Amino acid sequence: MKIFLDTSDVNIIRKYCETGLIDGVTTNPTLMKQVGRNPVEVVSEISSLFNSDASISVEVVADSAKDMIIQAKQYHSINKNVTIKVPCTYEGLKACKKLSNRDIKVNVTLIFSFNQSILAAKAGATYISPFIGRCEDNDINGIDLISSIRKVFNLNNISTKILAASIRNIDHISESFKAGADIVTIPPKVFEEMYKHSLTDQGLEQFNKDWKELNK
Ligand code: G3P
């Protein structure tokens, strides 16, 4: 059960890494645009915060598998913990197969159907990313999708990891893990909501008050 951060903000990633609870990072072109910096520099800084067991997903943007592979090699040369993200398209799947054959980890992203996940697994993907929030936006049950993928991956001993993405709230996190996701990638503001609870705050206030009175 792993937790990734879904952001390209190096300062935020550095801060949350201090918890020791973060196993990796996912980025995408939109998240890169939000920070407005050179992606190669950003990837270099993020990947240096983690050891070689971590996974830092970086998306290639190109029309052909050939061009995706050229970009992938550039990113992968930065650090071994960089995972290449490709879209679940014909060219993306071709690139996935070729990169996987060269032992480069690939995350097939923008997964909205069971059939997409099967092709991505066949293409040797290390990760597939079903987009839970966007499924919900389009009346697709993303949690059922994860359950179906989990069932068939288990039946066929498929080692591709299910990485639940497009997480908008804490219920998406718990439901994704319950449905069998291996990893959930979480926006920083949703991570904040994971540990907070009003009853924890109330209980702590009382404990602190009682402790002070005892030690008067
Ligand atoms: O992990 C994918 C994510 O960044 C997309 O999230 O909220 O734009 O659908 P969202």
Side-chain angles (χ1 to χ4, degrees):
M1 194 179 65
K2 292 190 172 180
I3 289 178
F4 288 2
L5 278 179
D6 195 27
T7 178
S8 297
D9 188 322
V10 183
N11 290 330
I12 287 181
I13 295 166
R14 191 176 288 116
K15 175 185 160 197
Y16 288 106
C17 274
E18 287 170 4
T19 63
L21 302 174
I22 307 302
D23 303 296
V25 171
T26 51
T27 68
N28 64 36
T30 305
L31 295 171
M32 285 292 184
K33 185 182 155 210
Q34 282 168 14
V35 297
R37 296 181 50 212
N38 177 311
V40 172
E41 275 175 30
V42 172
V43 173
S44 176
E45 288 175 27
I46 296 173
S47 58
S48 71
L49 298 172
F50 292 87
N51 63 26
S52 57
D53 297 334
S55 166
I56 316 303
S57 277
V58 182
E59 194 153 343
V60 290
V61 183
D63 292 333
S64 68
K66 188 170 161 257
D67 289 343
M68 288 180 196
I69 291 167
I70 291 170
Q71 287 176 31
K73 283 183 181 165
Q74 190 192 7
Y75 284 127
H76 193 253
S77 69
I78 296 173
N79 196 314
K80 277 190 191 147
N81 62 15
V82 170
T83 294
I84 305 303
K85 230 177 177 186
V86 300
C88 191
T89 59
Y90 189 84
E91 293 301 312
L93 290 167
K94 264 167 65 182
C96 178
K97 184 72 182 159
K98 291 203 165 107
L99 291 166
S100 309
N101 285 347
R102 291 176 201 174
D103 285 334
I104 294 178
K105 289 183 179 157
V106 181
N107 174 0
V108 178
T109 189
L110 291 165
I111 296 275
F112 294 94
S113 78
F114 177 73
N115 286 299
Q116 288 180 312
S117 73
I118 295 302
L119 291 181
K122 288 281 290 174
T126 301
Y127 307 98
I128 51 154
S129 294
F131 269 38
I132 304 311
R134 292 192 199 185
C135 276
E136 208 168 84
D137 294 342
N138 291 282
D139 294 326
I140 299 167
N141 190 325
I143 301 303
D144 282 357
L145 175 61
I146 291 178
S147 299
S148 309
I149 299 170
R150 176 81 282 148
K151 187 173 169 195
V152 173
F153 279 12
N154 286 353
L155 280 172
N156 292 279
N157 289 322
I158 293 171
S159 60
T160 301
K161 305 284 184 212
I162 304 171
L163 196 176
S166 183
I167 297 297
R168 310 265 176 81
N169 55 55
I170 50 172
D171 289 341
H172 284 165
I173 301 171
S174 49
E175 293 306 312
S176 294
F177 277 129
K178 281 193 265 178
D182 298 287
I183 307 148
V184 177
T185 188
I186 305 172
K189 72 173 175 33
V190 182
F191 181 78
E192 282 291 324
E193 291 168 38
M194 276 183 91
Y195 65 84
K196 286 185 179 156
H197 200 287
S198 59
L199 292 176
T200 305
D201 295 341
Q202 278 173 36
L204 183 62
E205 199 181 328
Q206 185 67 48
F207 287 159
N208 284 342
K209 192 168 157 254
D210 291 343
W211 189 252
K212 270 185 196 154
E213 281 173 18
L214 173 70
N215 289 289
K216 258 186 200 164

mmCIF file of all heavy atoms in Angstrom, residues 3 5 9-25 46 48-51 191-192 195:
data_model
loop_
_atom_site.group_PDB
_atom_site.id
_atom_site.type_symbol
_atom_site.label_atom_id
_atom_site.label_comp_id
_atom_site.label_asym_id
_atom_site.label_seq_id
_atom_site.Cartn_x
_atom_site.Cartn_y
_atom_site.Cartn_z
ATOM 1 N N ILE A 3 1.735 5.464 -1.079
ATOM 2 C CA ILE A 3 1.162 6.793 -1.286
ATOM 3 C C ILE A 3 2.137 7.620 -2.121
ATOM 4 O O ILE A 3 3.310 7.747 -1.769
ATOM 5 C CB ILE A 3 0.899 7.488 0.068
ATOM 6 C CG1 ILE A 3 -0.273 6.811 0.772
ATOM 7 C CG2 ILE A 3 0.638 8.973 -0.116
ATOM 8 C CD1 ILE A 3 -0.591 7.394 2.130
ATOM 9 N N LEU A 5 2.557 11.484 -4.162
ATOM 10 C CA LEU A 5 2.007 12.846 -4.203
ATOM 11 C C LEU A 5 1.768 13.227 -5.654
ATOM 12 O O LEU A 5 2.637 12.989 -6.510
ATOM 13 C CB LEU A 5 2.979 13.843 -3.581
ATOM 14 C CG LEU A 5 2.983 13.976 -2.066
ATOM 15 C CD1 LEU A 5 4.033 15.008 -1.653
ATOM 16 C CD2 LEU A 5 1.626 14.366 -1.507
ATOM 17 N N ASP A 9 5.197 20.483 -7.579
ATOM 18 C CA ASP A 9 5.760 21.536 -6.729
ATOM 19 C C ASP A 9 6.860 20.971 -5.826
ATOM 20 O O ASP A 9 6.579 20.263 -4.856
ATOM 21 C CB ASP A 9 4.622 22.155 -5.908
ATOM 22 C CG ASP A 9 5.079 23.380 -5.142
ATOM 23 O OD1 ASP A 9 6.219 23.384 -4.631
ATOM 24 O OD2 ASP A 9 4.289 24.343 -5.068
ATOM 25 N N VAL A 10 8.103 21.295 -6.163
ATOM 26 C CA VAL A 10 9.253 20.698 -5.452
ATOM 27 C C VAL A 10 9.228 21.048 -3.959
ATOM 28 O O VAL A 10 9.526 20.197 -3.113
ATOM 29 C CB VAL A 10 10.593 21.156 -6.086
ATOM 30 C CG1 VAL A 10 11.768 20.481 -5.402
ATOM 31 C CG2 VAL A 10 10.614 20.835 -7.571
ATOM 32 N N ASN A 11 8.877 22.287 -3.634
ATOM 33 C CA ASN A 11 8.885 22.686 -2.212
ATOM 34 C C ASN A 11 7.863 21.897 -1.412
ATOM 35 O O ASN A 11 8.138 21.448 -0.293
ATOM 36 C CB ASN A 11 8.610 24.189 -2.070
ATOM 37 C CG ASN A 11 9.779 24.994 -2.584
ATOM 38 O OD1 ASN A 11 10.925 24.539 -2.514
ATOM 39 N ND2 ASN A 11 9.500 26.168 -3.132
ATOM 40 N N ILE A 12 6.687 21.697 -1.999
ATOM 41 C CA ILE A 12 5.649 20.920 -1.309
ATOM 42 C C ILE A 12 6.108 19.467 -1.151
ATOM 43 O O ILE A 12 5.953 18.860 -0.093
ATOM 44 C CB ILE A 12 4.304 21.017 -2.069
ATOM 45 C CG1 ILE A 12 3.714 22.414 -1.850
ATOM 46 C CG2 ILE A 12 3.327 19.944 -1.611
ATOM 47 C CD1 ILE A 12 2.387 22.645 -2.507
ATOM 48 N N ILE A 13 6.700 18.917 -2.197
ATOM 49 C CA ILE A 13 7.163 17.519 -2.131
ATOM 50 C C ILE A 13 8.236 17.390 -1.051
ATOM 51 O O ILE A 13 8.195 16.458 -0.228
ATOM 52 C CB ILE A 13 7.700 17.060 -3.508
ATOM 53 C CG1 ILE A 13 6.565 17.051 -4.531
ATOM 54 C CG2 ILE A 13 8.346 15.678 -3.400
ATOM 55 C CD1 ILE A 13 7.012 16.941 -5.974
ATOM 56 N N ARG A 14 9.156 18.357 -1.027
ATOM 57 C CA ARG A 14 10.227 18.317 -0.013
ATOM 58 C C ARG A 14 9.604 18.324 1.391
ATOM 59 O O ARG A 14 9.991 17.549 2.266
ATOM 60 C CB ARG A 14 11.146 19.528 -0.195
ATOM 61 C CG ARG A 14 12.414 19.439 0.629
ATOM 62 C CD ARG A 14 13.364 20.588 0.364
ATOM 63 N NE ARG A 14 14.007 20.529 -0.927
ATOM 64 C CZ ARG A 14 13.853 21.420 -1.911
ATOM 65 N NH1 ARG A 14 13.071 22.456 -1.748
ATOM 66 N NH2 ARG A 14 14.479 21.277 -3.055
ATOM 67 N N LYS A 15 8.603 19.183 1.580
ATOM 68 C CA LYS A 15 7.946 19.289 2.901
ATOM 69 C C LYS A 15 7.306 17.952 3.301
ATOM 70 O O LYS A 15 7.554 17.434 4.392
ATOM 71 C CB LYS A 15 6.885 20.393 2.842
ATOM 72 C CG LYS A 15 6.058 20.514 4.107
ATOM 73 C CD LYS A 15 4.944 21.532 3.960
ATOM 74 C CE LYS A 15 3.881 21.244 5.020
ATOM 75 N NZ LYS A 15 2.614 21.892 4.745
ATOM 76 N N TYR A 16 6.515 17.370 2.412
ATOM 77 C CA TYR A 16 5.814 16.130 2.787
ATOM 78 C C TYR A 16 6.754 14.932 2.890
ATOM 79 O O TYR A 16 6.463 13.976 3.612
ATOM 80 C CB TYR A 16 4.655 15.853 1.833
ATOM 81 C CG TYR A 16 3.501 16.802 2.051
ATOM 82 C CD1 TYR A 16 3.237 17.833 1.164
ATOM 83 C CD2 TYR A 16 2.698 16.680 3.174
ATOM 84 C CE1 TYR A 16 2.204 18.723 1.388
ATOM 85 C CE2 TYR A 16 1.658 17.561 3.399
ATOM 86 C CZ TYR A 16 1.413 18.583 2.507
ATOM 87 O OH TYR A 16 0.394 19.451 2.739
ATOM 88 N N CYS A 17 7.881 14.993 2.181
ATOM 89 C CA CYS A 17 8.870 13.905 2.293
ATOM 90 C C CYS A 17 9.392 13.789 3.721
ATOM 91 O O CYS A 17 9.827 12.716 4.141
ATOM 92 C CB CYS A 17 10.038 14.147 1.347
ATOM 93 S SG CYS A 17 9.717 13.527 -0.292
ATOM 94 N N GLU A 18 9.359 14.919 4.441
ATOM 95 C CA GLU A 18 9.848 14.893 5.832
ATOM 96 C C GLU A 18 9.053 13.915 6.691
ATOM 97 O O GLU A 18 9.521 13.465 7.730
ATOM 98 C CB GLU A 18 9.767 16.297 6.455
ATOM 99 C CG GLU A 18 10.817 17.244 5.926
ATOM 100 C CD GLU A 18 10.573 18.687 6.351
ATOM 101 O OE1 GLU A 18 9.624 18.939 7.129
ATOM 102 O OE2 GLU A 18 11.326 19.551 5.889
ATOM 103 N N THR A 19 7.827 13.599 6.287
ATOM 104 C CA THR A 19 7.020 12.650 7.072
ATOM 105 C C THR A 19 7.541 11.220 6.925
ATOM 106 O O THR A 19 7.233 10.354 7.746
ATOM 107 C CB THR A 19 5.540 12.643 6.609
ATOM 108 O OG1 THR A 19 5.496 12.188 5.242
ATOM 109 C CG2 THR A 19 4.892 14.007 6.734
ATOM 110 N N GLY A 20 8.284 10.961 5.842
ATOM 111 C CA GLY A 20 8.729 9.589 5.572
ATOM 112 C C GLY A 20 7.600 8.700 5.063
ATOM 113 O O GLY A 20 7.756 7.480 4.960
ATOM 114 N N LEU A 21 6.465 9.306 4.717
ATOM 115 C CA LEU A 21 5.293 8.517 4.296
ATOM 116 C C LEU A 21 5.078 8.517 2.783
ATOM 117 O O LEU A 21 4.160 7.871 2.291
ATOM 118 C CB LEU A 21 4.023 9.082 4.958
ATOM 119 C CG LEU A 21 4.015 9.116 6.484
ATOM 120 C CD1 LEU A 21 2.766 9.820 6.999
ATOM 121 C CD2 LEU A 21 4.073 7.699 7.038
ATOM 122 N N ILE A 22 5.921 9.247 2.060
ATOM 123 C CA ILE A 22 5.686 9.414 0.619
ATOM 124 C C ILE A 22 6.591 8.471 -0.178
ATOM 125 O O ILE A 22 7.814 8.491 -0.034
ATOM 126 C CB ILE A 22 5.944 10.883 0.194
ATOM 127 C CG1 ILE A 22 5.129 11.854 1.079
ATOM 128 C CG2 ILE A 22 5.625 11.089 -1.281
ATOM 129 C CD1 ILE A 22 3.624 11.647 1.065
ATOM 130 N N ASP A 23 5.963 7.646 -1.014
ATOM 131 C CA ASP A 23 6.708 6.620 -1.767
ATOM 132 C C ASP A 23 7.040 7.041 -3.189
ATOM 133 O O ASP A 23 7.756 6.327 -3.888
ATOM 134 C CB ASP A 23 5.874 5.329 -1.822
ATOM 135 C CG ASP A 23 5.527 4.830 -0.432
ATOM 136 O OD1 ASP A 23 6.452 4.482 0.300
ATOM 137 O OD2 ASP A 23 4.327 4.814 -0.081
ATOM 138 N N GLY A 24 6.474 8.145 -3.640
ATOM 139 C CA GLY A 24 6.742 8.566 -5.007
ATOM 140 C C GLY A 24 5.918 9.789 -5.368
ATOM 141 O O GLY A 24 5.200 10.356 -4.517
ATOM 142 N N VAL A 25 6.016 10.177 -6.634
ATOM 143 C CA VAL A 25 5.354 11.402 -7.116
ATOM 144 C C VAL A 25 4.802 11.128 -8.509
ATOM 145 O O VAL A 25 5.409 10.378 -9.286
ATOM 146 C CB VAL A 25 6.380 12.571 -7.177
ATOM 147 C CG1 VAL A 25 5.791 13.792 -7.864
ATOM 148 C CG2 VAL A 25 6.877 12.935 -5.775
ATOM 149 N N ILE A 46 13.022 16.840 -8.184
ATOM 150 C CA ILE A 46 12.112 15.913 -7.484
ATOM 151 C C ILE A 46 12.790 14.557 -7.309
ATOM 152 O O ILE A 46 12.793 13.994 -6.211
ATOM 153 C CB ILE A 46 10.769 15.730 -8.252
ATOM 154 C CG1 ILE A 46 9.987 17.038 -8.324
ATOM 155 C CG2 ILE A 46 9.917 14.651 -7.553
ATOM 156 C CD1 ILE A 46 8.739 16.979 -9.201
ATOM 157 N N SER A 48 15.787 13.718 -7.107
ATOM 158 C CA SER A 48 16.922 13.696 -6.166
ATOM 159 C C SER A 48 16.455 13.615 -4.709
ATOM 160 O O SER A 48 17.247 13.329 -3.817
ATOM 161 C CB SER A 48 17.812 14.926 -6.370
ATOM 162 O OG SER A 48 17.126 16.071 -5.912
ATOM 163 N N LEU A 49 15.171 13.870 -4.461
ATOM 164 C CA LEU A 49 14.655 13.798 -3.085
ATOM 165 C C LEU A 49 14.360 12.365 -2.648
ATOM 166 O O LEU A 49 14.064 12.102 -1.485
ATOM 167 C CB LEU A 49 13.360 14.619 -2.966
ATOM 168 C CG LEU A 49 13.459 16.122 -3.234
ATOM 169 C CD1 LEU A 49 12.066 16.748 -3.260
ATOM 170 C CD2 LEU A 49 14.321 16.781 -2.165
ATOM 171 N N PHE A 50 14.384 11.431 -3.614
ATOM 172 C CA PHE A 50 13.968 10.045 -3.334
ATOM 173 C C PHE A 50 15.094 9.059 -3.638
ATOM 174 O O PHE A 50 15.982 9.343 -4.440
ATOM 175 C CB PHE A 50 12.756 9.683 -4.198
ATOM 176 C CG PHE A 50 11.506 10.433 -3.822
ATOM 177 C CD1 PHE A 50 11.247 11.673 -4.362
ATOM 178 C CD2 PHE A 50 10.604 9.899 -2.915
ATOM 179 C CE1 PHE A 50 10.092 12.378 -4.021
ATOM 180 C CE2 PHE A 50 9.451 10.585 -2.568
ATOM 181 C CZ PHE A 50 9.203 11.829 -3.115
ATOM 182 N N ASN A 51 14.973 7.867 -3.035
ATOM 183 C CA ASN A 51 15.954 6.821 -3.350
ATOM 184 C C ASN A 51 15.505 6.046 -4.600
ATOM 185 O O ASN A 51 14.475 6.364 -5.210
ATOM 186 C CB ASN A 51 16.185 5.900 -2.145
ATOM 187 C CG ASN A 51 14.920 5.151 -1.772
ATOM 188 O OD1 ASN A 51 14.050 4.935 -2.618
ATOM 189 N ND2 ASN A 51 14.809 4.743 -0.520
ATOM 190 N N PHE A 191 -4.054 15.172 0.907
ATOM 191 C CA PHE A 191 -3.190 14.506 1.895
ATOM 192 C C PHE A 191 -3.399 15.145 3.269
ATOM 193 O O PHE A 191 -3.490 14.454 4.292
ATOM 194 C CB PHE A 191 -1.718 14.615 1.466
ATOM 195 C CG PHE A 191 -0.764 13.940 2.418
ATOM 196 C CD1 PHE A 191 -0.612 12.566 2.414
ATOM 197 C CD2 PHE A 191 -0.029 14.685 3.335
ATOM 198 C CE1 PHE A 191 0.266 11.930 3.301
ATOM 199 C CE2 PHE A 191 0.854 14.067 4.219
ATOM 200 C CZ PHE A 191 0.998 12.696 4.205
ATOM 201 N N GLU A 192 -3.501 16.489 3.283
ATOM 202 C CA GLU A 192 -3.750 17.209 4.550
ATOM 203 C C GLU A 192 -5.012 16.700 5.234
ATOM 204 O O GLU A 192 -5.063 16.578 6.452
ATOM 205 C CB GLU A 192 -3.916 18.713 4.278
ATOM 206 C CG GLU A 192 -2.632 19.458 4.049
ATOM 207 C CD GLU A 192 -1.777 19.558 5.308
ATOM 208 O OE1 GLU A 192 -2.354 19.690 6.393
ATOM 209 O OE2 GLU A 192 -0.548 19.468 5.185
ATOM 210 N N TYR A 195 -5.060 13.085 7.641
ATOM 211 C CA TYR A 195 -4.743 12.882 9.062
ATOM 212 C C TYR A 195 -5.604 13.729 9.984
ATOM 213 O O TYR A 195 -5.621 13.513 11.189
ATOM 214 C CB TYR A 195 -3.244 13.121 9.329
ATOM 215 C CG TYR A 195 -2.767 14.538 9.113
ATOM 216 C CD1 TYR A 195 -2.893 15.499 10.113
ATOM 217 C CD2 TYR A 195 -2.200 14.920 7.903
ATOM 218 C CE1 TYR A 195 -2.460 16.797 9.913
ATOM 219 C CE2 TYR A 195 -1.751 16.210 7.695
ATOM 220 C CZ TYR A 195 -1.892 17.146 8.704
ATOM 221 O OH TYR A 195 -1.479 18.428 8.494
#
